[in-house]
């Protein structure tokens, strides 16, 4: 596990870009855990921008998934916060999204426990104890 200190929203986007740059073809499922407003969507925005997505990246809180075509590759950004039961993932066709040809960024992965695969990268975002605007990111690779 590696730990990173992140001091701003711009730095969180840069962190997401660095995670994308370091990813290999086998690192396609990224779990993003953390409290509300910890920076999960901001990190996903940086990841998508690094892959080449020029447009807006919004939180999929109400849609559950936002899909992007980036340089010929599908990227699916999930927010599972509103799931009441992991089985609900079957109703949205999760098995069609979890595919070696796709990148999946999954916020609130604990809500999909038992259905979701083991992630390639697990990122835990926590509030920095010494900086109310800062975050601490703990990154674990499979």
């Amino acid at each position: 596990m590696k730990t990173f200190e992140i001091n701003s929203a711009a730095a969180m986007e840069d962190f997401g870009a660095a995670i994308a740059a370091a990813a290999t073809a086998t690192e396609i499922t990224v779990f993003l855990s953390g409290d509300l407003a910890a920076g999960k969507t901001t990190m996903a925005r940086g990841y998508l921008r690094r892959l080449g997505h020029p447009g807006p990246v919004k939180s999929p809180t109400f849609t559950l998934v936002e899909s992007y075509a980036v340089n010929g590759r599908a990227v699916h950004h999930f927010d599972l916060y509103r799931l009441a039961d992991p089985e609900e993932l079957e109703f949205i066709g999760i098995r069609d999204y979890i595919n070696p040809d796709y990148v999946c960024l999954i916020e609130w992965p604990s809500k999909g426990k038992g259905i979701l695969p083991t992630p390639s990268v697990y990122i835990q975002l926590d509030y920095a104890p010494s900086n109310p605007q800062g975050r601490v990111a703990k990154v674990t690779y499979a």
Side-chain angles (χ1 to χ4, degrees), residues 38-116:
K40 297 177 293 295
T41 297
T42 304
M43 197 236 91
R45 182 178 303 114
Y47 193 105
L48 281 154
R49 295 242 190 285
R50 175 66 173 92
L51 295 180
H53 177 69
V57 176
K58 61 182 181 173
S59 174
T61 299
F62 296 103
T63 59
L64 293 181
V65 63
E66 291 288 336
S67 296
Y68 304 88
V70 183
N71 292 322
R73 190 163 196 195
V75 180
H76 305 292
H77 177 201
F78 294 86
D79 185 331
L80 307 183
Y81 180 73
R82 298 197 181 280
L83 286 188
D85 186 294
E87 291 294 322
E88 292 177 51
L89 287 170
E90 297 295 348
F91 298 127
I92 66 165
I94 191 67
R95 296 183 199 288
D96 294 330
Y97 291 103
I98 306 294
N99 178 311
D101 294 329
Y102 304 153
V103 173
C104 291
L105 307 173
I106 303 175
E107 298 184 30
W108 299 96
S110 61
K111 298 281 195 158
K113 190 173 183 172
I115 302 290
L116 295 174

